[in-house]
């Protein structure tokens, strides 16, 4: 390659794959596309797993995934895009964590992989085959990486922490039977 090197091509492929998957998942939440449930259905699910209010949580997750994924694919505002997508994936991983690591058991493997790829792109940058490069990296300055990741980490910690407290409070309110009841024959 003359103008671009393998690194630029690799980053483009990683951005397109990761960003495309994230954007599609977000579109499921926001619009019901690709077999998704839209804001209403996703909002009900979010409420059931402890993210409250459910519809606002579905909107936030959908926007982070769709917006972050689209921007990652384009290579635009890469630090903010990667951070937003990673925050959404941290929230998803929290839901799946009780099921262990592997996705086939309902674990957090998939969310963690997408989140780590998004963070990796935020840290590494989009490469020369990107809108950030074309625009002179106006939205991809070095200081933006730690700022975006720190802000997202703080916000995610608050949201996931509140969800964890709601889930624990709900579990504490549910009491298991001390003795099994047997029917007399």
């Amino acid at each position: 390659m003359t103008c671009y090197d393998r690194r630029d091509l690799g980053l483009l492929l990683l951005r397109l794959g990761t960003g495309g998957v994230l954007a599609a998942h977000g579109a499921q939440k926001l619009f019901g596309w690709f077999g998704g449930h839209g804001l209403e259905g996703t909002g009900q699910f979010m409420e059931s797993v402890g993210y409250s209010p459910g519809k606002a949580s579905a909107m936030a997750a959908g926007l982070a995934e769709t917006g972050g994924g689209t921007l990652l694919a384009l290579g635009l505002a890469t630090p903010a895009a990667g951070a937003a997508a990673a925050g959404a994936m941290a929230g998803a991983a929290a839901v799946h964590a009780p099921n262990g690591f592997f996705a086939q058991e309902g674990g957090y493997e998939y969310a963690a992989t997408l989140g780590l790829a998004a963070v990796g792109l935020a840290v590494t940058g989009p490469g020369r085959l990107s809108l950030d490069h074309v625009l002179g990296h106006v939205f991809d300055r070095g200081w933006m990486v730690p700022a975006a990741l720190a802000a997202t980490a703080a916000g995610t910690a608050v949201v996931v922490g509140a969800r964890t407290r709601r889930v624990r409070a709900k579990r504490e309110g549910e009491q298991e039977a001390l003795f099994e009841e047997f029917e007399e024959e």
Side-chain angles (χ1 to χ4, degrees):
M1 301 182 91
T2 56
C3 201
Y4 304 104
D5 62 18
R6 291 179 9 208
R7 180 182 176 275
D8 294 315
L9 182 58
L11 287 169
L12 173 65
L13 294 172
L14 185 58
R15 285 192 350 258
L16 290 173
T18 303
V21 168
L22 286 162
H25 276 280
Q28 287 180 310
K29 291 172 179 64
L30 294 176
F31 312 117
W33 296 353
F34 313 116
H37 299 288
L39 278 178
E40 289 299 322
T42 304
Q44 291 171 7
F45 171 75
M46 296 290 257
E47 192 81 37
S48 76
V49 295
Y51 287 112
S52 183
K55 192 170 181 180
S57 297
M59 175 72 80
L63 288 173
E65 291 174 11
T66 303
T70 300
L71 291 173
L72 277 176
L74 296 171
L76 181 61
T78 305
M89 292 300 97
V95 172
H96 294 282
N99 301 323
F101 178 72
F102 292 104
Q104 74 259 23
E105 301 295 325
Y108 64 93
E109 169 187 19
Y110 186 65
T113 301
L114 286 174
L116 288 170
V119 169
L121 287 166
V123 171
T124 304
R128 291 183 289 175
L129 297 171
S130 66
L131 288 179
D132 275 334
H133 182 74
V134 169
L135 297 173
H137 295 276
V138 174
F139 304 110
D140 181 33
R141 303 279 184 212
W143 64 267
M144 293 176 180
V145 174
L149 292 174
T152 299
T156 302
V158 168
V159 170
V160 172
R163 176 207 173 257
T164 300
R165 286 188 295 281
R166 279 191 288 279
V167 168
R168 283 187 184 149
K170 184 179 177 186
R171 270 195 222 130
E172 288 172 4
E174 297 171 359
Q175 206 172 31
E176 292 183 26
L178 295 175
F179 303 99
E180 291 184 37
E181 292 184 32
F182 296 98
E183 287 184 27
E184 292 183 34
E185 294 179 27

